[in-house]
Amino acid sequence: MQTDQCTLLVVDVQEKLVPAIHDAPRTVAAIKWLLDAARLNGVPAVFSEQYPQGLGKTLACLSTAYPDAPAVEKTSFSCVAAECLKGTAAESRPQVVLCGIEAHVCVLQTALELQSQGKQVFLVADAIGSRSERDKATALSRIAAAGVTIVTREMALFEWMRDSRVPQFREASKRLLQAEPSLSFQEVLAVLPRVDHLGSMQLWREGKLEAIIENRPGQAGSLAVYNALFRDFGAITPKAARLGQWLYAEHAEDARKHPGKHPNIDRLFGLEVMGGGYGVRLLPNT
């Protein structure tokens, strides 16, 4: 992957699509990291948007990460079939580094058709997502079998830099390599499933009601986090709690310093110590 040959193409990471994606916050954080890496190394980026009138624009946390990147619209699933890349760096440059959603639909079709045009295509495995893990895994297998090169975020970054003596290496090391990809809490909430239909969530342990998280100011964000964990894990288990702590990362340090100030984060910390887990009961908004 050469900086003067590459374009980073971010496929359809849009407001109304992302909340349905499995492990959406981590996927979005990885894409944001990749955009930072591309901009740091002078690699141009392009955003595609599938029917934005209905599905919304590219997430603000991504478009602001690379404000110079154009957004192109399409209705065809493949960016190539839509001919939306004309006039962009993705058309003029021979290498395309590909990320986005959904892995088994728009990303897959774009990858295969870019390759059929003679492009050298690199698919970033840790920066793509689908509604199900099975669809993502199957897409990766099919794309690899077709001869597309599968890479990771760090492969792209290090190949773009090539040498530790380049001026941007120190900043890349500090900003990108010494910290896990992350989102602010408000950015996390923007990619979680909506909770408008919920009135509250009950947390039960061993037949005892231990907590209620309500859909009201001050708790709606926690309800969104716990609802997302419940969707992916079926209960609030230690494994779910570890992901929850990552979702709350912006506030987690404050919660550790001040026990009781953030009770919904405290419960996730407690699962690591006590084990077990919470059963969940969702109550509709009435």
Side-chain angles (χ1 to χ4, degrees), residues 23 26 180 203 205 225-249 252 256 263-278 280:
D23 206 6
R26 286 191 187 277
E180 185 180 8
L203 299 180
R205 192 199 296 267
V225 169
Y226 272 71
N227 179 57
L229 297 175
F230 175 63
R231 183 191 70 166
D232 287 347
F233 296 95
I236 309 301
T237 62
K239 186 176 180 180
R242 284 190 289 275
L243 175 59
Q245 290 172 36
W246 181 84
L247 296 174
Y248 276 120
R256 283 192 171 91
N264 290 312
I265 305 178
D266 292 343
R267 290 187 188 95
L268 298 179
F269 293 157
L271 285 181
E272 289 190 328
V273 177
M274 297 182 292
Y278 291 104
V280 170

Side-chain angles (χ1 to χ4, degrees), residues 39-285:
R39 190 165 70 148
L40 185 62
N41 287 281
V43 174
V46 178
F47 297 104
S48 74
E49 296 175 345
Q50 177 76 14
Y51 185 56
Q53 299 92 329
L55 298 175
K57 302 293 289 181
T58 298
L59 289 176
C61 68
L62 300 185
S63 57
T64 55
Y66 208 132
D68 298 332
V72 297
E73 298 183 12
K74 63 188 179 73
T75 55
S76 297
F77 301 126
S78 164
C79 293
V80 176
E83 298 186 345
C84 63
L85 299 177
K86 287 189 173 180
T88 70
E91 180 190 39
S92 59
R93 290 185 165 210
Q95 296 181 334
V96 179
V97 178
L98 198 58
C99 63
I101 61 175
E102 283 193 73
H104 66 295
V105 185
C106 297
V107 173
L108 168 72
Q109 293 183 31
T110 297
L112 297 179
E113 293 187 19
L114 282 170
Q115 187 187 45
S116 73
Q117 286 188 329
K119 301 283 189 185
Q120 189 177 11
V121 184
F122 301 87
L123 181 71
V124 186
D126 51 347
I128 59 172
S130 289
R131 283 163 289 164
S132 77
E133 292 182 286
R134 181 175 64 181
D135 279 332
K136 175 181 173 178
T138 305
L140 279 168
S141 296
R142 183 177 172 195
I143 291 170
V148 170
T149 303
I150 308 299
V151 299
T152 66
R153 291 178 290 105
E154 286 205 5
M155 286 182 193
L157 173 61
F158 279 102
E159 288 180 36
W160 286 336
M161 292 189 297
R162 307 296 295 175
D163 194 303
S164 63
R165 294 170 295 181
V166 296
Q168 66 271 28
F169 177 77
R170 182 182 296 273
E171 186 176 354
S173 178
K174 181 179 179 180
R175 243 178 54 208
L176 300 175
L177 297 173
Q178 295 181 28
E180 185 180 8
S182 63
L183 300 175
S184 72
F185 191 61
Q186 288 304 312
E187 290 169 345
V188 165
L189 295 183
V191 304
L192 295 180
R194 297 184 66 87
V195 293
D196 301 341
H197 62 294
L198 294 177
S200 63
M201 170 186 285
Q202 297 179 346
L203 299 180
W204 294 74
R205 192 199 296 267
E206 297 178 354
K208 178 184 176 183
L209 177 62
E210 291 209 359
I212 300 175
I213 307 173
E214 296 180 288
N215 193 353
R216 59 181 175 83
Q219 289 201 44
S222 289
L223 180 59
V225 169
Y226 272 71
N227 179 57
L229 297 175
F230 175 63
R231 183 191 70 166
D232 287 347
F233 296 95
I236 309 301
T237 62
K239 186 176 180 180
R242 284 190 289 275
L243 175 59
Q245 290 172 36
W246 181 84
L247 296 174
Y248 276 120
E250 186 178 1
H251 302 306
E253 184 177 351
D254 187 57
R256 283 192 171 91
K257 290 179 179 177
H258 304 97
K261 183 178 178 182
H262 303 274
N264 290 312
I265 305 178
D266 292 343
R267 290 187 188 95
L268 298 179
F269 293 157
L271 285 181
E272 289 190 328
V273 177
M274 297 182 292
Y278 291 104
V280 170
R281 183 176 297 164
L282 298 174
L283 301 181
N285 211 342

Side-chain angles (χ1 to χ4, degrees), residues 10-43:
V10 182
V11 177
D12 303 354
V13 190
Q14 294 164 251
E15 296 157 337
K16 294 185 180 179
L17 287 175
V18 171
I21 299 301
H22 179 80
D23 206 6
R26 286 191 187 277
T27 303
V28 171
I31 295 170
K32 183 180 179 183
W33 187 102
L34 194 57
L35 282 162
D36 286 342
R39 190 165 70 148
L40 185 62
N41 287 281
V43 174

